[in-house]
Structure formats: structure tokens, C-alpha cells
Amino acid sequence: MPMLIRQKSVKAKLKKLTYHDGDFIIPAGYELVSMLPTSYKFKASDNDPIDIHLKHKVIVITPNDPKQSTDKLPDNPSKNYLTGVSQNDLNEMIKRQITVVKPDGSTIDASQLITLTRTATLDEVTGKVIKYSNWTIGSFSEYNAPEIQGYTPNRNAKAVEVVKHGDHFEPIKITYISLGSDTDDTKTGDYPGNTSTTSQSNSKEVEHVPLKNKFWIKGQPYSLLDLLHNDPWTSKFEGGTIYQAFLSALSYHRWNSPVSGKIVKAYHINGSYYGEALSQGFENPNGAAPVAANDSQAFLTSTATRAVIFIQADNPKIGLMCFVAVGMGDVSNNEITVRIGQHVKKGEQLGMFHFGGSTHVLLFQPTVDLDFNLHGQKPGIDSSNIKVRDEIAVVK
């Protein structure tokens, strides 16, 4: 608070009074609100009082120069700093513990640390903190476990865009899943040489799929990097085969595994709703089609909201394959119901769409030789549904 010091009027003979340094001593911890007058001419009587305005001096304590209770205030050395300006008061270290357990049992500590900070504004008269600034915010980058031949990590640590004061993160333990075959694939109704439909649908297939393509152009070639959102495993499918099937609004909308195998990776990719390729919409010379979304399926695999599930098939001729659920139109959610490390049998549920027309994709590596069974139909948007768990391909 400002302090007012009032000098009494001085009765003296008419004279001029000049201030010099040291004539008025400012109390410790205070500072002048305005400058002192340099001179004053006294009258014989009725002199005006001289008002000197002071205020409490404040200082800002930064996180890289914290203070202890044994430290003296710089402009009030008779007082020490009080609580609230120590290292821990102005700095907060937040840790995301990540432990990688390798197949041989050795571990890697991949934990991530960030430090959030704030400043303190302190009153030099009282030694107390008046206010703190807001805490800074931070972020954690994505962590991908190292690749080990013959194994795949059961998970990775996703990026955290905003880390705030007081946030707590549960420890993350990453282990490895063997890509070898260790399950029974001979039970009734489960034939290791073929793949089955994931849901009731009509379909098409494309071979020798490139890694990158301008999928928005007319003809909508597939773009693997865009479809899988730059997943590090994308290159495994370069030159491979894509099978895509369309579901109308009234079709069966649950996903059933096309192969028996282990779930080795599963995640969601945010994307658009009600999207369509320009060539089927505004740039179509015949005008936008009322079913433009249906004719934009390759485009939607790279732009729409989707769920991605990698399966290590028990059949070594199939190996690692990928299922991608693509939400077309008004799909409200792509729900994954399996977990990483889980073994599924062919025909078991992987997840489901919630409402609306949808499409889905199966990705096979270039070493997989498939003979598709489209049940006497020509692939296309006008073909009839293939029933759930019917054969769609045989591995040669």
C-alpha cells in the first residue's frame, strides 16, 4: 500500500531549501511513488506540507533463481524470504514412466520427463508472496519401442499434446509378442487356407498397391501411407493387395476376423465425416452425385475416421495382415472390442460400427498370393452382399 509521510510546516524566515541525497532516507522495502521535490521556498508562515508517497517494493522470483528461507531480501536485508519461493514451489517435474521389457528379459527405461514452471511476485516489506503466474504447460512425444526381429511390441506410448500442473500418468509397460504360430487352427469350421468376410458386404480388390498416391484424383488410387496415417509398418504392405467392401446402412455392422491369429496392434485414426472425393462431387462434370460418398471409397480410406487392427495370422502364408474399418457418412463411432495380445479365431468379433453406411479394408503383404471368391459376381458398388463368414479368398 502507498505510504504517506507528511512533514510539518516550518516557520522560518523566508528562504530557499534545497534537498540533497540522504536528506530523506527511504525505509527498507519501500520505494518512491513519485520523485522528491528538488527545492522548496519557505514562507514566514503558512507553509504547505511536503507529502512524500511511498509504496511497498515488489520483486519477481523466477524458477531458475529460487530462494530459501535463509536468504535475505535484497532491499530489506533485516528480513528473510518466507515460504513459497523455493525450487519445488516454482518448478514441477512430471514423469511418464515407460519401461520396455525385451524378449530376453532385459529392460529399457524410456521414461519421459518435463518441467513446468511459474514465477512468484513477492512483497519486500512483508516478505510474503503476493501472487503466482500461471503454470506453463508441456507435452510428451510419441514413443515407439525398438523393433526386434520376430517380435512386435504389445503397445507404444502415444503422444500427449497437453500436460498440465498436477497431471499424473500411470506407468506404461511395453512387452513383446512373438510373431510365431502357437495356436490351434483346425477346429470345426476354421480352415487355415482361406479368409472369411469380416461382415455382410459387397466388395472389390486391388493388387500391387503403391506406398503413396494422389488419392484425390479421378480414379482414386489407394495410398497406403495415408490410409495407415504413416504407421511404421506401412511399408510391409507396399506392393501388396487391398480388399475393400462396402456396407449399406441396413447391412450387418459388426466386424468379424477374416483370419485366426494374434492382435498385435490396434488404434483409432481421427478423420472426416460425410467426406467425398472432388472428382465425385464439386469437380464432377455431370454435377455432384447423390451417392458421391459411395463412389469415393478409396478416397475415404485415407480421409475418414477409421479403426486399424493388425493381426498376425496363424497361417504363415498370410503372416501379418491389417483390417481397417472406415466410417462413411454419419457413422458415430468405430468401436474396437479386442485388445492387443488377444488371440482370435476366424469369424470372431473384432468390433463394430455405430450407425450409418460404412466400408472396410483388408491389407495383405506382397508375398501373399490370394485367389478371391466373389461368389460369381463382378466387384463393384452394385454387387450383392456376401454373407458373414462366407469364404472370400483362398491362400495359394
Side-chain angles (χ1 to χ4, degrees):
M1 295 292 291
M3 172 180 282
L4 177 62
I5 297 179
R6 176 166 295 185
Q7 288 188 186
K8 295 181 178 179
S9 59
V10 178
K11 291 183 178 179
K13 292 182 179 180
L14 191 64
K15 68 176 182 178
K16 184 177 182 181
L17 177 67
T18 302
Y19 285 94
H20 300 282
D21 289 343
D23 283 352
F24 176 78
I25 299 174
I26 299 174
Y30 288 88
E31 64 180 344
L32 288 167
V33 174
S34 58
M35 295 298 294
L36 286 169
T38 57
S39 64
Y40 181 79
K41 189 175 182 180
F42 285 92
K43 298 179 291 185
S45 62
D46 299 325
N47 285 284
D48 295 326
I50 299 173
D51 295 335
I52 300 173
H53 294 266
L54 302 177
K55 65 178 180 180
H56 290 207
K57 191 171 186 179
V58 296
I59 55 174
V60 176
I61 312 300
T62 59
N64 58 352
D65 188 24
K67 304 298 179 182
Q68 304 298 324
S69 59
T70 54
D71 295 329
K72 300 291 185 181
L73 295 173
D75 294 295
N76 192 2
S78 64
K79 284 184 175 288
N80 292 2
Y81 287 94
L82 300 180
T83 58
V85 290
S86 69
Q87 173 75 20
N88 292 337
D89 293 316
L90 306 180
N91 297 269
E92 179 185 25
M93 184 174 291
I94 297 182
K95 179 178 181 179
R96 181 164 73 155
Q97 182 178 331
I98 303 173
T99 304
V100 180
V101 182
K102 299 167 70 173
D104 62 5
S106 61
T107 60
I108 300 172
D109 184 1
S111 298
Q112 298 172 318
L113 293 172
I114 58 171
T115 300
L116 308 183
T117 62
R118 63 177 177 175
T119 61
T121 301
L122 182 137
D123 186 323
E124 281 218 72
V125 175
T126 64
K128 295 181 180 180
V129 173
I130 302 171
K131 65 178 180 179
Y132 291 105
S133 67
N134 293 329
W135 285 97
T136 59
I137 60 174
S139 63
F140 287 126
S141 60
E142 180 181 9
Y143 176 79
N144 294 314
E147 291 194 10
I148 298 177
Q149 186 68 31
Y151 294 86
T152 183
N154 70 326
R155 63 173 298 180
N156 284 307
K158 294 182 179 179
V160 180
E161 299 295 335
V162 178
V163 179
K164 298 179 180 179
H165 164 64
D167 283 352
H168 173 74
F169 294 87
E170 293 297 325
I172 296 174
K173 183 178 181 181
I174 299 175
T175 59
Y176 285 84
I177 300 169
S178 171
L179 296 181
S181 175
D182 59 358
T183 54
D184 179 13
D185 206 356
T186 60
K187 296 181 180 179
T188 304
D190 191 8
Y191 303 98
N194 72 349
T195 60
S196 65
T197 58
T198 56
S199 57
Q200 182 188 42
S201 58
N202 44 42
S203 60
K204 63 177 179 178
E205 71 277 351
V206 178
E207 295 182 342
H208 310 298
V209 184
L211 193 64
K212 181 73 175 177
N213 233 324
K214 294 182 178 179
F215 54 83
W216 57 86
I217 65 175
K218 190 172 183 179
Q220 303 170 55
Y222 289 92
S223 177
L224 289 178
L225 280 172
D226 294 292
L227 187 154
L228 297 178
H229 198 56
N230 299 309
D231 188 285
W233 289 355
T234 304
S235 60
K236 297 177 184 292
F237 299 95
E238 182 179 7
T241 301
I242 276 185
Y243 169 93
Q244 183 170 5
F246 167 72
L247 301 168
S248 65
L250 298 180
S251 295
Y252 176 80
H253 272 56
R254 292 177 182 261
W255 319 328
N256 300 87
S257 181
V259 297
S260 295
K262 282 183 181 177
I263 308 298
V264 292
K265 190 187 288 190
Y267 56 87
H268 291 92
I269 299 175
N270 292 329
S272 65
Y273 293 90
Y274 289 101
E276 58 187 50
L278 286 173
S279 59
Q280 301 299 322
F282 293 110
E283 292 187 357
N284 189 338
N286 298 320
V291 290
N294 296 353
D295 293 328
S296 304
Q297 290 185 57
F299 169 81
L300 291 174
T301 62
S302 296
T303 57
T305 180
R306 50 205 185 272
V308 179
I309 302 174
F310 288 90
I311 306 172
Q312 182 66 35
D314 294 340
N315 187 341
K317 290 185 177 181
I318 298 175
L320 182 69
M321 60 87 58
C322 183
F323 164 77
V324 184
V326 182
M328 292 174 60
D330 48 357
V331 170
S332 58
N333 189 21
N334 299 321
E335 181 183 358
I336 298 173
T337 59
V338 289
R339 66 185 185 278
I340 296 173
Q342 178 180 343
H343 184 272
V344 293
K345 293 187 295 184
K346 190 186 305 180
E348 281 193 30
Q349 179 174 293
L350 298 175
M352 68 193 77
F353 293 112
H354 288 278
F355 193 66
S358 314
T359 183
H360 62 274
V361 166
L362 304 181
L363 278 173
F364 298 94
Q365 297 183 78
T367 54
V368 181
D369 191 2
L370 295 167
D371 183 13
F372 283 92
N373 177 7
L374 302 181
H375 300 264
Q377 301 182 85
K378 182 180 178 181
I381 195 70
D382 296 322
S383 57
S384 300
N385 283 342
I386 298 173
K387 293 181 179 180
V388 179
R389 297 192 180 95
D390 269 4
E391 177 186 277
I392 57 170
V394 175
V395 183
K396 297 180 182 179

